[in-house]
Structure formats: structure tokens, C-alpha cells
Amino acid sequence: MMQNLLAENTKNHLLKLEVPLCLELPDGRQINGVLGWHKSPKLKLNSWSALTDLIEGELGVIGADLVEGRLQFEGSMRQLMDIAQRLLQTEPHQTDKSSVERFIEFGLHKWRSRFLHSRDKDAAHVQSHYDVSDEFYALWLDPLRVYSCAYFENPEICLRQAQEAKLDLICRKLMLKRSDRFLDIGMGWGGLLLWAAEHYGVEATGITLSKNQYMHVDQKIKEKNLTGRVKIHLLDYRDIDESQPFDKVASVGMFEHVGRVNMEAYFSKIWRVLKPGGMFLNHGITAGWMEEKQLGLSMGDFIEKYIFPGGELLPVSEVMHHMARAKFELVDVENLRPHYAQTLWAWSDRLESRLDEARSVLMKYHPTKAEKILLAYRLYLAGCAVGFERGWTALYQMLAIRNDALSDYPFTRHHLYEVASSPELASVLSRCLAIDEPCL
């Protein structure tokens, strides 16, 4: 009787929200939404509790149900994201909590941040994500394996071109030149580090906590004959040598792992490893809300459990506050939120087109949980694309200077948008914009 009532309420709920979905209940009965059976994507429920989760619209809980097999979906990720947005009861960054509840939540998050961000735990968190498998990431990232927001100077360019454009934009913002000593904190698979060395002639140093990324970049340095010009270290940012400061520093897609409790120490450390007058660019994800909480509707919990353990997002105003307390002067701030939505959809579509290969790769390294990892990443990439589209999260590039000496930072932004006079660089930039060039 109870199950019949739940099924009827679900049907009415789906019809009211105009959800294009066919549900198969645990007892085999089917509920059709606004479209017919043959046109609708299908969601099979293996647990009655998952039906309640579906009605309540807790997107993170629904995602966990899918990963754990309590739900099975037949259809595309784009269809699933359309359904998920129709099921929303509220925006995940909205809250109706009292000031007392927010104060308590703030204290809990500070305690959690302090607990999660020791050196050992930070290293374990980074390795659990980035060392899943280099082969897996290579299937859906661009050839340079740039795992951060691309820059679509033209909406029609492909992912590779957009990532090259992003790397060059960072180099231009930092005004890199041949005499510079350049530090890349959290270098990933070396995209920015190698780009800056090859196209701007800098003396480049990179650090990472990922063993896989370190080995990959080490091999690339040898292949490109950059030994001596590019140095890399398996190193925590807190342990960077301060005795030989750098002219320019970049941190791309890394400070999300730092944690609120360490944010001021993070920026202060970067200030100390910069020369007086030096420039620093921080490129990272920020929260689209002001309250002290994770992304709501259990979405933050899903990402914490399956994708990024220990990750924390701060609103951009709080990031600026910590930078100012570390004595940095902000000189340029740019929000690339729509660019990240397009980047994530590009990653998602590339992964969806190579699911069999991805499954085979993950089976080699994680035979007992390959399917869970694959489904979690599919949901993560498409779900984050929606999050950036709707403004639940944002991506900011913040350029700052250590202003205790004269800086080279110019009066205007002309240098960001003019093609450099160097024939080599002009060729690079024109290729980034060549939308008719065959591209991955």
C-alpha cells in the first residue's frame, strides 16, 4: 500500500516538473514522465529508498545512488543533467538557516579544515585524485593534459586550442620574459611549466604532490631537451625554498586543495618566495555563495567522497581578503566561469565518446572499483559543467604584485590582447585562433 502511494506521488511529481523520464520501480512497474517510453531516457530503481531521494531532489545523494548501484540510468549525461535540474527543489547555494546555525556551521567547517589539511593528508588527497591513472586522464584531456579551465577566445575553437590560449594568457598576464625565474605551484602534467619554458624562455621550476604527474613531467623535460632550464620537485608548497626568490609565480587549479585554515599561510608563503616587485597569478575555483558551507543538496558531499577529498571552496571576496592580509596588491581580476562550463562539457563529451576505453584502463589499475570510479567521474564532469553554467561555482584568475618595490606591471591591459612581436609567439597565437585547423 505504501509503495503504491509512493509510486503515485512520484508520477504526479514527475508530470508536474515535466521531467522527460521513464522510471522502472524495484517491483518492475514503469512510470512515464512527459515523454513516451520510446523517447525517454530510463532510470531503473533497485531500491525503494532511492525513489525517496529522487523526489527530494538531493542531487549529491542521487549521484551516490547511481555510483553505488541503487539507481541505473540509460541515456546520455546531457540528458541526465537536464533531468537533474528539473528535479531541483531549491538552488544548492541558497540557505534559510539562522545566524546561529550559520555560526555553528562556520565553526564546524573551520575544525574540519584544520583536521583535513596536514602535510600527510594533503599529499594523500592529491594522490587519490590525480594518480587514478594517467592513461585515464589522457583519454579526455587535451594533448598537453591541462586539467584546468580553458580560455575560449572564440567559442568555436576546440579544447586543445582553448587550453593553449589559456596557457598563453597566463604567460602574458605575468609578462614572462627570458630572464625570469618562474615557479609553477601544483604543476599538473606540466602544461604551463613547459609552455612558459618553450615559448617564453624562462627558467622554470614546478612542484607537485602527485607521483604520477612528477614522472610524466620528468619524461617530457627529457624529450623536449629542457634539462637544466626546467626543474621539478615532489614537494609541498609549504616547503618551497625561500633563499632564491622567483620573479613570477603561478598557481593553477591548486589552491582549492589548500583549505580555509591554511589560506593565509599559503598566500604568505608565496609572497615570501617572490622577489620584491614580483608578480603572482592565482587561477582557481571559488564558491558562488557567501555562507560557510559546502555546495548544498549534498553535492559537496558527493565530490568530497568520490572525487576531491579535502577540497574546499571559498567565495572570491574571502580569497581577496586573505591575499590582502598576506600583503599582496591585486592588480587584475577576471572571472572565467562560462569558460569553465564549456571546458567541462568538452571533457565530459570526450569521456562519453570513449567509455569502453576508459573502462578498460581503469580495470588495469582499479579492478574492484573501476565501474564506480568511471561513473563518479562522468557525473562529476557533467554536474560541474551545470554548476558553472548556473553560477553555483566560479573560476577566477587573480593577478597580484609584491609591491614593496617597483613592479613592471603596466598602466593598461594592452599587453594582454596584442599579439607579441616575436614571430614564434605570433605563430603560436594564430594557431590557437585557427578554428578550421584539424584539432583534438
Side-chain angles (χ1 to χ4, degrees), residues 190 203 239 328 406:
E203 180 186 329
D239 298 323
F328 275 112
L406 289 176

Side-chain angles (χ1 to χ4, degrees), residues 327-373:
K327 299 188 284 188
F328 275 112
E329 178 185 357
L330 274 171
V331 293
D332 189 84
V333 178
E334 184 174 8
N335 186 358
L336 300 182
R337 179 176 66 81
H339 294 262
Y340 214 173
Q342 189 163 341
T343 304
L344 283 154
W345 276 126
W347 289 341
S348 176
D349 291 341
R350 287 163 69 88
L351 178 56
E352 292 302 303
S353 70
R354 307 183 75 175
L355 290 178
D356 289 340
E357 294 172 80
R359 192 172 287 110
S360 296
V361 166
L362 291 172
M363 282 296 293
K364 288 195 300 185
Y365 300 98
H366 311 279
T368 62
K369 53 182 182 179
E371 200 62 47
K372 283 187 177 182
I373 293 173

